[in-house]
Amino acid sequence: RFDRTGSLGARAACSAYPAYIIHPFFVVMGTWLIAGLPIPVLARFGLLSAAAVVATFAVSDAVRRIPGVRRVV
């Protein structure tokens, strides 16, 4: 059961390097956006972590679909 990679895992693995390159943008912008929320710090951390991971891998997957970019990243 766990000896195979599903389609989502395979796409995420291929997008790992572009995600590594662009993730600081999402972490910094996310931190700036949620800084003023009146929720506990741990809740902000969880919200930022989930949002940054999803946004980073979604954008890196979209960037990889641009013709010619796949060869570079």
Side-chain angles (χ1 to χ4, degrees), residues 28-62:
V28 170
M29 292 307 294
T31 302
W32 182 73
L33 288 171
I34 68 167
L37 289 180
I39 58 176
V41 173
L42 194 55
R44 279 190 242 167
F45 172 75
L47 178 66
L48 176 63
S49 297
V53 167
V54 170
T56 298
F57 277 97
V59 170
S60 65
D61 188 55

Side-chain angles (χ1 to χ4, degrees), residues 13-37:
C14 290
S15 297
Y17 184 64
Y20 170 75
I21 294 170
I22 64 173
H23 86 275
F25 172 77
F26 291 103
V27 172
V28 170
M29 292 307 294
T31 302
W32 182 73
L33 288 171
I34 68 167
L37 289 180

